[in-house]
Amino acid sequence: MDELVKSFKTIALMGKPRRDINLQMHKNLYQWLKERGYQVLVEKEVGEKFGLPEEVLATVEEIGEQAQLVIVIGGDGNMLGRARILAKYNIPMIGINRGNLGFLTDIDPKNAYAQLEACLEHGEFFVEERFLLEAKIERNGEIISSSNAVNEAVIHPAKIAHMIDFHVYINDKFAFSQRSDGLIVSTPTGSTAYSLSAGGPILTPNLNAIALVPMFPHTLSSRPLVIDGDSKISIRFAEHNTSQLELGCDSQIALDFSPDDIVHIEKSPHKLRLLHLKNYNYYNVLSTKLGWLKNF
């Protein structure tokens, strides 16, 4: 553990503040880390707002290349956006929750400094790895666009209130056909996000599994399906689909495609590394965020 703690020599601060109070936390945390001898990098867009010197400002990619730990101030959306880029750099991330739900942001802003001190100075943490999805669009035998997703990849019509007909293949074997508003392909991390709202199952983060959740299917017999996490999913579309389609990743990236294209989704080679406080308990997070009541 001592070696891990000592390796956090360069720490990056990230997150796009929605309110000034978040920006103040950036300022305070920057000073707090500097006073403890850490080299600190700050996401350029944020650091410019409070006049930091040019040498500490960095792009997301520069942070990926130089930092040993990333602290994200904000909500899950901030974590998702940074994680999709930083996963390939194998850097642990920890979040200070300034959003609403905070499934991915462990640290309570009211106790942020005490909790960070326990992590950074005393090694009271562990690192959890979670897999991402990689989604690609194939046209005439070539991949024309791709993106990765921490939570989910969603296939749906580009226009609202249009149903689509599609065929799903798993490991190149036909699995099922469906007529619905779309399909959510979710990681365990994303099982408490959009997938849950659509009636999908909650998957604990350590599961090597992917959930396929239909969106308002045309038949009552259509149900969510959980498959092995190493499966390759391919989706083809019926010829009579005429409207443009869209592949969304984490509700932040949108890739347009046509019904003649094929969508491929599988596990990404990169992983999200989440740094948790030593007393982190996933089931406590579920109970708190989802309002599960205790009977005694």
Side-chain angles (χ1 to χ4, degrees), residues 4 93 104 160 168 212 225 243:
L4 279 173
M93 303 174 66
L104 295 175
I160 298 173
V168 176
L212 279 61
L225 175 66
S243 60

Side-chain angles (χ1 to χ4, degrees), residues 1-13 29-30 32-34 36-40 68-71 92-94 96 107 112-126 275-278:
M1 183 61 72
D2 289 341
E3 291 181 5
L4 279 173
V5 176
K6 290 176 182 177
S7 70
F8 297 150
K9 295 176 182 177
T10 302
I11 299 175
L13 297 181
L29 188 52
Y30 172 79
W32 186 85
L33 290 169
K34 292 290 287 184
R36 279 154 182 78
Y38 294 99
Q39 182 178 344
V40 186
Q68 285 88 48
L69 174 68
V70 171
I71 300 173
M93 303 174 66
I94 190 166
I96 299 176
I107 292 185
Y113 298 105
Q115 292 177 333
L116 283 174
E117 184 171 0
C119 286
L120 301 177
E121 304 292 324
H122 305 294
E124 295 178 7
F125 68 87
F126 67 95
L275 189 147
H276 293 299
L277 303 172
K278 198 171 183 179

Side-chain angles (χ1 to χ4, degrees), residues 34-46:
K34 292 290 287 184
E35 289 169 3
R36 279 154 182 78
Y38 294 99
Q39 182 178 344
V40 186
L41 296 174
V42 181
E43 193 171 359
K44 191 171 185 179
E45 186 178 351
V46 176

